[in-house]
mmCIF file of all heavy atoms in Angstrom:
data_model
loop_
_atom_site.group_PDB
_atom_site.id
_atom_site.type_symbol
_atom_site.label_atom_id
_atom_site.label_comp_id
_atom_site.label_asym_id
_atom_site.label_seq_id
_atom_site.Cartn_x
_atom_site.Cartn_y
_atom_site.Cartn_z
ATOM 1 N N LYS A 51 -20.232 12.034 -14.354
ATOM 2 C CA LYS A 51 -20.843 11.632 -15.619
ATOM 3 C C LYS A 51 -20.152 10.402 -16.178
ATOM 4 O O LYS A 51 -18.925 10.360 -16.273
ATOM 5 C CB LYS A 51 -20.749 12.789 -16.618
ATOM 6 C CG LYS A 51 -21.436 12.508 -17.944
ATOM 7 C CD LYS A 51 -21.315 13.704 -18.866
ATOM 8 C CE LYS A 51 -21.975 13.410 -20.221
ATOM 9 N NZ LYS A 51 -21.854 14.566 -21.152
ATOM 10 N N PRO A 52 -20.910 9.374 -16.558
ATOM 11 C CA PRO A 52 -20.293 8.180 -17.142
ATOM 12 C C PRO A 52 -19.656 8.487 -18.488
ATOM 13 O O PRO A 52 -19.962 9.496 -19.126
ATOM 14 C CB PRO A 52 -21.472 7.212 -17.304
ATOM 15 C CG PRO A 52 -22.554 7.751 -16.453
ATOM 16 C CD PRO A 52 -22.362 9.231 -16.414
ATOM 17 N N GLY A 53 -18.768 7.590 -18.923
ATOM 18 C CA GLY A 53 -18.200 7.734 -20.248
ATOM 19 C C GLY A 53 -16.704 7.922 -20.248
ATOM 20 O O GLY A 53 -16.039 7.797 -19.211
ATOM 21 N N PRO A 54 -16.139 8.253 -21.393
ATOM 22 C CA PRO A 54 -14.689 8.212 -21.575
ATOM 23 C C PRO A 54 -13.914 9.429 -21.094
ATOM 24 O O PRO A 54 -12.683 9.413 -21.121
ATOM 25 C CB PRO A 54 -14.554 8.079 -23.098
ATOM 26 C CG PRO A 54 -15.766 8.759 -23.640
ATOM 27 C CD PRO A 54 -16.857 8.456 -22.662
ATOM 28 N N GLN A 55 -14.588 10.496 -20.670
ATOM 29 C CA GLN A 55 -13.849 11.685 -20.278
ATOM 30 C C GLN A 55 -12.917 11.384 -19.107
ATOM 31 O O GLN A 55 -13.232 10.593 -18.224
ATOM 32 C CB GLN A 55 -14.794 12.843 -19.926
ATOM 33 C CG GLN A 55 -15.776 12.572 -18.817
ATOM 34 C CD GLN A 55 -17.083 11.967 -19.318
ATOM 35 O OE1 GLN A 55 -17.183 11.514 -20.460
ATOM 36 N NE2 GLN A 55 -18.083 11.972 -18.471
ATOM 37 N N SER A 56 -11.771 12.036 -19.092
ATOM 38 C CA SER A 56 -10.754 11.792 -18.071
ATOM 39 C C SER A 56 -11.265 12.180 -16.689
ATOM 40 O O SER A 56 -11.999 13.165 -16.531
ATOM 41 C CB SER A 56 -9.490 12.590 -18.396
ATOM 42 O OG SER A 56 -8.549 12.504 -17.337
ATOM 43 N N ILE A 57 -10.851 11.426 -15.673
ATOM 44 C CA ILE A 57 -11.137 11.803 -14.288
ATOM 45 C C ILE A 57 -9.884 12.379 -13.627
ATOM 46 O O ILE A 57 -9.864 12.607 -12.415
ATOM 47 C CB ILE A 57 -11.662 10.607 -13.466
ATOM 48 C CG1 ILE A 57 -10.572 9.535 -13.313
ATOM 49 C CG2 ILE A 57 -12.920 10.019 -14.087
ATOM 50 C CD1 ILE A 57 -10.905 8.496 -12.253
ATOM 51 N N GLY A 58 -8.840 12.624 -14.422
ATOM 52 C CA GLY A 58 -7.591 13.116 -13.851
ATOM 53 C C GLY A 58 -6.707 11.969 -13.404
ATOM 54 O O GLY A 58 -6.865 10.832 -13.852
ATOM 55 N N PHE A 59 -5.796 12.273 -12.481
ATOM 56 C CA PHE A 59 -4.784 11.292 -12.096
ATOM 57 C C PHE A 59 -4.676 11.125 -10.575
ATOM 58 O O PHE A 59 -3.583 11.206 -10.013
ATOM 59 C CB PHE A 59 -3.424 11.685 -12.685
ATOM 60 C CG PHE A 59 -3.414 11.686 -14.181
ATOM 61 C CD1 PHE A 59 -3.674 12.848 -14.885
ATOM 62 C CD2 PHE A 59 -3.183 10.518 -14.886
ATOM 63 C CE1 PHE A 59 -3.681 12.848 -16.266
ATOM 64 C CE2 PHE A 59 -3.186 10.506 -16.273
ATOM 65 C CZ PHE A 59 -3.442 11.681 -16.965
ATOM 66 N N PRO A 60 -5.815 10.895 -9.890
ATOM 67 C CA PRO A 60 -5.704 10.631 -8.451
ATOM 68 C C PRO A 60 -4.919 9.354 -8.194
ATOM 69 O O PRO A 60 -4.913 8.423 -9.004
ATOM 70 C CB PRO A 60 -7.162 10.504 -7.997
ATOM 71 C CG PRO A 60 -7.918 10.133 -9.235
ATOM 72 C CD PRO A 60 -7.210 10.812 -10.361
ATOM 73 N N SER A 61 -4.259 9.309 -7.053
ATOM 74 C CA SER A 61 -3.423 8.163 -6.682
ATOM 75 C C SER A 61 -4.166 7.217 -5.757
ATOM 76 O O SER A 61 -5.210 7.558 -5.188
ATOM 77 C CB SER A 61 -2.160 8.664 -5.982
ATOM 78 O OG SER A 61 -2.506 9.291 -4.750
ATOM 79 N N ILE A 62 -3.610 6.047 -5.586
ATOM 80 C CA ILE A 62 -4.152 5.108 -4.612
ATOM 81 C C ILE A 62 -4.098 5.721 -3.215
ATOM 82 O O ILE A 62 -5.013 5.515 -2.396
ATOM 83 C CB ILE A 62 -3.373 3.778 -4.656
ATOM 84 C CG1 ILE A 62 -3.686 3.016 -5.949
ATOM 85 C CG2 ILE A 62 -3.705 2.910 -3.439
ATOM 86 C CD1 ILE A 62 -5.105 2.504 -6.073
ATOM 87 N N ARG A 63 -3.075 6.496 -2.925
ATOM 88 C CA ARG A 63 -3.002 7.152 -1.615
ATOM 89 C C ARG A 63 -4.196 8.082 -1.404
ATOM 90 O O ARG A 63 -4.766 8.115 -0.304
ATOM 91 C CB ARG A 63 -1.705 7.940 -1.489
ATOM 92 C CG ARG A 63 -1.608 8.734 -0.187
ATOM 93 C CD ARG A 63 -0.240 9.301 0.040
ATOM 94 N NE ARG A 63 0.725 8.239 0.288
ATOM 95 C CZ ARG A 63 1.980 8.456 0.648
ATOM 96 N NH1 ARG A 63 2.432 9.697 0.792
ATOM 97 N NH2 ARG A 63 2.795 7.446 0.870
ATOM 98 N N GLU A 64 -4.588 8.821 -2.446
ATOM 99 C CA GLU A 64 -5.766 9.680 -2.320
ATOM 100 C C GLU A 64 -7.017 8.855 -2.078
ATOM 101 O O GLU A 64 -7.894 9.249 -1.293
ATOM 102 C CB GLU A 64 -5.920 10.538 -3.574
ATOM 103 C CG GLU A 64 -4.859 11.603 -3.737
ATOM 104 C CD GLU A 64 -5.000 12.360 -5.046
ATOM 105 O OE1 GLU A 64 -5.972 13.128 -5.187
ATOM 106 O OE2 GLU A 64 -4.137 12.168 -5.929
ATOM 107 N N TYR A 65 -7.124 7.730 -2.754
ATOM 108 C CA TYR A 65 -8.272 6.861 -2.520
ATOM 109 C C TYR A 65 -8.273 6.359 -1.074
ATOM 110 O O TYR A 65 -9.312 6.361 -0.396
ATOM 111 C CB TYR A 65 -8.240 5.666 -3.478
ATOM 112 C CG TYR A 65 -8.421 5.995 -4.941
ATOM 113 C CD1 TYR A 65 -8.106 5.052 -5.915
ATOM 114 C CD2 TYR A 65 -8.908 7.226 -5.362
ATOM 115 C CE1 TYR A 65 -8.284 5.321 -7.262
ATOM 116 C CE2 TYR A 65 -9.077 7.509 -6.709
ATOM 117 C CZ TYR A 65 -8.762 6.554 -7.660
ATOM 118 O OH TYR A 65 -8.927 6.814 -8.996
ATOM 119 N N ALA A 66 -7.104 5.919 -0.588
ATOM 120 C CA ALA A 66 -7.019 5.417 0.789
ATOM 121 C C ALA A 66 -7.319 6.525 1.795
ATOM 122 O O ALA A 66 -7.949 6.278 2.832
ATOM 123 C CB ALA A 66 -5.640 4.818 1.041
ATOM 124 N N ASP A 67 -6.882 7.741 1.496
ATOM 125 C CA ASP A 67 -7.191 8.878 2.379
ATOM 126 C C ASP A 67 -8.700 9.057 2.511
ATOM 127 O O ASP A 67 -9.219 9.296 3.612
ATOM 128 C CB ASP A 67 -6.582 10.165 1.826
ATOM 129 C CG ASP A 67 -5.074 10.235 1.965
ATOM 130 O OD1 ASP A 67 -4.494 9.443 2.737
ATOM 131 O OD2 ASP A 67 -4.469 11.099 1.295
ATOM 132 N N ALA A 68 -9.409 8.961 1.382
ATOM 133 C CA ALA A 68 -10.860 9.147 1.396
ATOM 134 C C ALA A 68 -11.559 8.047 2.178
ATOM 135 O O ALA A 68 -12.502 8.305 2.948
ATOM 136 C CB ALA A 68 -11.392 9.201 -0.036
ATOM 137 N N VAL A 69 -11.104 6.805 2.009
ATOM 138 C CA VAL A 69 -11.711 5.697 2.750
ATOM 139 C C VAL A 69 -11.403 5.839 4.243
ATOM 140 O O VAL A 69 -12.289 5.641 5.093
ATOM 141 C CB VAL A 69 -11.207 4.350 2.214
ATOM 142 C CG1 VAL A 69 -11.775 3.194 3.041
ATOM 143 C CG2 VAL A 69 -11.606 4.179 0.744
ATOM 144 N N GLU A 70 -10.181 6.190 4.592
ATOM 145 C CA GLU A 70 -9.825 6.370 5.991
ATOM 146 C C GLU A 70 -10.663 7.472 6.628
ATOM 147 O O GLU A 70 -11.135 7.324 7.771
ATOM 148 C CB GLU A 70 -8.348 6.706 6.121
ATOM 149 C CG GLU A 70 -7.880 6.827 7.567
ATOM 150 C CD GLU A 70 -6.392 7.077 7.692
ATOM 151 O OE1 GLU A 70 -5.788 7.611 6.744
ATOM 152 O OE2 GLU A 70 -5.829 6.742 8.754
ATOM 153 N N ALA A 71 -10.894 8.557 5.908
ATOM 154 C CA ALA A 71 -11.714 9.645 6.434
ATOM 155 C C ALA A 71 -13.141 9.171 6.702
ATOM 156 O O ALA A 71 -13.758 9.541 7.723
ATOM 157 C CB ALA A 71 -11.718 10.819 5.464
#
Side-chain angles (χ1 to χ4, degrees):
K51 184 179 178 181
Q55 58 271 14
S56 173
I57 66 166
F59 297 93
S61 65
I62 289 293
R63 176 170 292 187
E64 291 176 70
Y65 294 165
D67 288 345
V69 177
E70 183 176 25

